[in-house]
């Protein structure tokens, strides 16, 4: 379902306030930001915990809506078995619950809205049948990992012409999707989406901001 045109008009009315320090604040147009990943692997399980800020409603239409902070847990058992798994993140505030199986991903998944993202590491408790396990998932980021806003700057520099074509009267009409990815090493995905829902996709080095691959545009 497309967002109502009133949301678009609201964005336009706010645009004059979206500048900072004499430069345009493109970060105000981020519709999704996966800013951190916590990973753990044992002989029994592979666990990935993601920190995600995402607009609601979530629609790739070039219009940014208010963001929610969500923690997502992906659990993959080493042995294929159908169980009712529960996952909990332990800490100052403990949260969690029963997972659901995602056929397309082959994992057990749980998500919950949070007020604050953890840093460094998280303790994950897994329950199924009469069993309980606890493991520590650590952040994939290091001191060289660029932030979401920093990687956005590299993406905009690499796609100056794309951003220019999506700008009218000094206002950017589009949205950005930014996701930290882990495939042996870290990468960032950056999607630049216009008002027609057309997306230019970039894969960037998480430490240097170099564009490694591009699709669309």
């Amino acid at each position: 379902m497309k967002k109502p045109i009133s949301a678009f008009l609201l964005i336009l009315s706010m645009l004059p306030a979206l500048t900072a320090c004499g430069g345009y604040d493109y970060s105000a147009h981020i519709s999704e930001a996966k800013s951190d990943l916590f990973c753990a692997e044992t002989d029994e399980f592979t666990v990935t915990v993601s920190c995600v800020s995402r607009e609601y409603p979530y629609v790739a239409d070039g219009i940014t809506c208010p963001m929610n902070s969500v923690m997502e847990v992906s659990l993959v058992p080493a042995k294929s078995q159908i169980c009712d798994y529960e996952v909990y993140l332990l800490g100052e505030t403990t949260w969690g619950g029963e997972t659901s199986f995602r056929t397309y991903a082959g994992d057990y998944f749980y998500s919950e809205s949070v007020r604050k993202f953890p840093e460094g590491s998280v303790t994950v408790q897994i329950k199924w049948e009469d069993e309980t396990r606890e493991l520590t998932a650590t952040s994939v980021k290091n001191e060289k990992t660029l932030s979401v806003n920093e990687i956005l700057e590299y993406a905009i520099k690499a796609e100056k012409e794309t951003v220019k074509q999506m700008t009218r009267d000094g206002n950017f009409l589009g949205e950005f999707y930014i996701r930290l990815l882990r495939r042996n090493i870290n990468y960032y995905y950056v999607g630049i989406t216009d008002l027609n829902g057309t997306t230019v996709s970039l894969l960037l080095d998480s430490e240097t901001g170099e564009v490694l691959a591009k699709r669309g545009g």
Side-chain angles (χ1 to χ4, degrees):
M1 178 184 298
K2 296 297 288 180
K3 299 167 197 168
I5 193 67
S6 59
F8 179 49
L9 296 175
L10 175 61
I11 293 297
L12 286 179
S13 68
M14 294 172 59
L15 284 173
L18 298 182
T19 57
C21 302
Y24 196 86
D25 183 11
Y26 287 100
S27 66
H29 297 275
I30 297 176
S31 290
E32 181 182 56
K34 183 178 291 186
S35 56
D36 207 348
L37 298 171
F38 300 87
C39 298
E41 185 173 358
T42 68
D43 293 337
E44 295 179 296
F45 301 103
T46 297
V47 176
T48 304
V49 181
S50 304
C51 300
V52 185
S53 298
R54 182 181 293 127
E55 69 171 357
Y56 182 83
Y58 185 60
V59 184
D61 58 3
I63 303 172
T64 306
C65 283
M67 304 273 275
N68 294 323
S69 296
V70 180
M71 296 289 292
E72 299 179 342
V73 183
S74 170
L75 172 69
V76 180
K79 297 181 179 179
S80 298
Q81 54 182 349
I82 299 175
C83 291
D84 293 327
Y85 289 103
E86 297 177 28
V87 294
Y88 298 91
L89 264 65
L90 309 182
E92 294 182 7
T93 301
T94 297
W95 58 266
E98 187 174 339
T99 64
S100 59
F101 183 73
R102 301 191 297 185
T103 303
Y104 73 90
D107 66 351
Y108 291 85
F109 181 79
Y110 181 84
S111 67
E112 186 168 325
S113 297
V114 297
R115 294 183 178 181
K116 182 181 179 181
F117 291 136
E119 297 180 2
S121 64
V122 293
T123 299
V124 182
Q125 184 183 75
I126 304 167
K127 293 184 176 182
W128 76 104
E129 298 178 345
D130 296 326
E131 301 286 342
T132 299
R133 299 287 187 275
E134 287 188 10
L135 48 86
T136 299
T138 56
S139 173
V140 301
K141 297 170 66 175
N142 58 48
E143 66 279 359
K144 295 183 179 179
T145 305
L146 297 170
S147 69
V148 165
N149 286 348
E150 288 171 335
I151 206 69
L152 176 59
E153 291 181 7
Y154 280 99
I156 290 172
K157 289 178 182 178
E159 289 297 315
K160 289 181 180 179
E161 189 59 33
T162 298
V163 172
K164 181 180 178 180
Q165 292 175 0
M166 296 168 63
T167 300
R168 299 289 185 275
D169 299 324
N171 298 319
F172 178 73
L173 304 180
E175 60 187 339
F176 300 100
Y177 296 85
I178 304 175
R179 301 166 192 151
L180 180 63
L181 307 175
R182 177 73 178 179
R183 300 291 186 274
N184 297 320
I185 61 174
N186 296 339
Y187 302 94
Y188 270 107
Y189 164 84
V190 177
I192 308 173
T193 301
D194 65 17
L195 295 177
N196 296 317
T198 302
T199 300
V200 174
S201 299
L202 304 175
L203 186 69
L204 298 92
D205 186 290
S206 68
E207 298 182 3
T208 66
E210 177 187 0
V211 176
L212 304 175
K214 175 182 174 179
R215 183 174 65 185

